Amino acid sequence: MAALITGTGVAVPPNVVTNDALTRIMDTSDEWIVSRTGVRSRRFVDPGTSTSDLGAQAVRSALADAGVDPSEVDAVVCATMTPDRQNPGIAGAVQHKSGLHGAAVFDLRQQCSGFLFGLDLADMLITTERARTVVVVGAEVHAGYLPWGDAWDIVLGRADRSPTDDERALATRHRAWSVLFGDGAGAMVLQTRPDGPGLDFESESGILGSVLRTDGAHADLIEVPGLGSEQRPYADEAQIAAGLHHPTMNGGGLYRLAVETMPAAVREVLKTTGFELDDLGLVVAHQANDRILDGARRRLGVDESIMPSNIGHWGNTTAGTLPILYHELREQGRVAPGTLVAFTSFGAGAHWGAVLYSEPENPGST
Ligand code: ACO
C-alpha cells in the first residue's frame, strides 16, 4: 500500500507587486532584493480574500485535476502560518468552502514545513488504511501582516500620493523580511495505490519514505513574538505599538540552518529507502530564497535542473511553495513517469525534513 499524488491545483491572487513597486514605500531596490533573495515579484490578495478562500480554490482545482468527486475525500490536511483568524484553524473553512462535507480535517502549524508534514500525515492515513483519499493544502495570505498600513494602495499603484514619513520608516524597518513573502496556495490529492503482483521495492511508486525533524530550540530564528497566551492580555495596543504582531527574523541564522538541514534530510531519506543521489530526478525544495536554494544545491551536489526555483515570480509563499512548484513542474512536463522526487523544506519552529516520492510508470492504473 502506498499513497499516490493523483491531482494538483494552485490558487494565486491577481495583484502582481514588483520590487520596483516596493521602492515606492520603503528604502530598497530591485537590485538589492534580486541579488539577496531572487524575488522579482510576488502576488497579493485584495482585502476580503482569506487564506481559506485561496486554500479552497486550490483544493477544488486539485480535485478536478484528479477527477475526484468531493464526496470521495476522507480527510483534508491544511497547513498555514497565516490563518483567517487566531481561532479556529482554517481546515474547517477549507472543508466547507470546497464542499468536502464529512471529511476529517487537520490543521498543521509547521510554517514553511507545514505542507511537507502534511504529505507525511496523508501517507500515514492512507498506508494505515484510515483513509483512501486525502487532500493536502498549503495556503498563505501574508498581506495581512505586512507593515504597510494605509500605504497598501501605493504599493498596488492605486493611490496618487507618496507615503508619509512614518509609513516609509515603518516599511523600511521591516524590509529585510517583508520583501520575501507573497500570497498563494497549492493542493494535492493523494490516493491509495494498492499492492500489486510483481512489485518489488525498486519499482514501487508513490510515497516511499520520509524524514521529519523538529528542534524547538531554534524557534526564535523567525517568530511573531506577540499576540498569544504568553501575554496578559492576549492582545493589546501596547503589543501593537511595539510591533510584536510582526515577525522578527535572524536571516543569517536561518540561512545557515536551512542549507545544512535540507540536504541532510534528503540524503537520509535516500539512504533509508535504498536509493542514491543519482537516482533523483527532482528535488522540490521550499522556496525561502534563492541564496538558500543555491547553498542547498552546492551541499547536495545538484544543479538547478534537479532542484528548480520559482521564487522569482511568487516570492516565498510559505506552506504554499512545495505544491505550487510541484504543480508547475507537472504542467511543464518535468515529472515524467518513473521520476524520483525528493520534497524538502525548512521552516520556522524549527521544522524540516524530506519526503521521497516516485511518480508511477502508469498513473492511470491506480
Ligand atoms: N533592501 C535594501 N537593504 C536592505 C533590505 C532591503 N529589502 N533588507 C535589509 N537591508 C539592509 C540592512 O538594513 C543592512 O543594512 P546595514 O548594513 O546598513 O545595517 C544590509 O542590508 C545587510 O542586512 P543583512 O540582514 O545583513 O542582509 P543579508 O545580506 O544577510 O541578507 C537576507 C538578508 C536576504 C534576509 C539573508 O539574511 C537571508 O537570505 N536569510 C535567509 C532568511 C530567509 O530566507 N527567510 C525566509 C523566511 S524563513 C523560511 O522560509 C524558512
Side-chain angles (χ1 to χ4, degrees):
M1 185 79 70
L4 285 185
I5 298 167
T6 57
T8 59
V10 301
V12 286
N15 301 317
V16 180
V17 172
T18 63
N19 295 339
D20 282 339
L22 294 182
T23 66
R24 295 179 195 138
I25 54 146
M26 67 173 81
D27 298 342
T28 190
S29 66
D30 180 58
E31 190 279 325
W32 194 98
I33 299 172
V34 172
S35 63
R36 304 299 209 290
T37 74
V39 181
R40 293 174 184 278
S41 63
R42 70 289 288 148
R43 302 288 186 100
F44 290 116
V45 299
D46 278 317
T49 300
S50 68
T51 303
S52 66
D53 290 329
L54 281 190
Q57 197 184 326
V59 167
R60 289 193 296 269
S61 167
L63 289 172
D65 184 46
V68 167
D69 189 83
S71 64
E72 295 173 54
V73 176
D74 301 308
V76 188
V77 181
C78 293
T80 189
M81 72 167 196
T82 51
D84 298 7
R85 50 190 78 154
Q86 287 282 341
N87 180 359
I90 65 164
V94 169
Q95 180 225 42
H96 176 64
K97 290 175 184 177
S98 9
L100 302 176
H101 310 296
V105 302
F106 299 82
D107 277 296
L108 298 191
R109 291 293 309 266
Q110 273 77 17
Q111 289 59 249
C112 302
S113 285
F115 192 89
L116 189 86
F117 278 59
L119 266 187
D120 198 42
L121 174 55
D123 183 51
M124 285 187 247
L125 290 168
I126 285 173
T127 54
T128 57
E129 301 188 38
R130 299 289 300 272
R132 290 185 63 79
T133 300
V134 181
V135 181
V136 186
V137 55
E140 305 289 353
V141 168
H142 292 300
Y145 73 56
L146 290 170
W148 303 337
D150 291 339
W152 260 105
D153 274 6
I154 302 174
V155 176
L156 297 175
R158 295 173 185 169
D160 187 20
R161 71 171 181 98
S162 299
T164 64
D165 289 348
D166 283 351
E167 286 170 338
R168 193 163 193 97
L170 180 66
T172 299
R173 188 174 343 131
H174 291 284
R175 64 186 175 176
W177 63 266
S178 64
V179 299
L180 292 164
F181 294 99
D183 299 344
M188 292 183 186
V189 178
L190 286 106
Q191 294 186 282
T192 305
R193 183 204 60 107
D195 293 324
L199 284 177
D200 58 30
F201 189 74
E202 293 286 328
S203 66
E204 203 169 320
S205 56
I207 292 181
L208 305 180
S210 79
V211 167
L212 299 184
R213 298 278 183 269
T214 293
D215 186 345
H218 297 301
D220 59 356
L221 285 177
I222 182 166
E223 63 172 354
V224 177
L227 307 187
S229 63
E230 282 180 340
Q231 311 288 339
R232 287 288 189 284
Y234 189 92
D236 63 8
E237 284 178 11
Q239 292 179 58
I240 306 289
L244 300 185
H245 57 306
H246 294 309
T248 59
M249 180 176 87
N250 171 349
L254 278 173
Y255 173 87
R256 284 187 288 280
L257 211 54
V259 299
E260 178 191 315
T261 53
M262 288 193 289
V266 170
R267 288 185 190 282
E268 188 178 341
V269 79
L270 286 169
K271 191 171 175 194
T272 56
T273 48
F275 288 92
E276 304 287 336
L277 197 57
D278 285 348
D279 297 324
L280 279 177
L282 283 171
V283 180
V284 178
H286 172 54
Q287 305 287 299
N289 74 42
D290 261 342
R291 274 189 174 177
I292 289 178
L293 288 166
D294 280 342
R297 285 183 196 113
R298 277 197 301 278
R299 286 183 185 231
L300 205 50
V302 299
D303 63 19
E304 201 171 343
S305 70
I306 299 290
M307 190 191 282
S309 162
N310 69 353
I311 193 171
H313 52 282
W314 302 127
N316 179 350
T317 58
T318 306
T321 73
L322 293 185
I324 291 173
L325 178 57
Y326 190 65
H327 177 83
E328 286 187 331
L329 294 167
R330 283 180 91 215
E331 298 255 290
Q332 294 160 10
R334 305 260 311 268
V335 191
T339 304
L340 191 65
V341 183
F343 294 94
T344 185
S345 65
F346 177 87
H351 310 282
W352 66 92
V355 168
L356 194 66
Y357 179 76
S358 175
E359 178 72 4
E361 293 290 345
N362 181 2
S365 65
T366 59

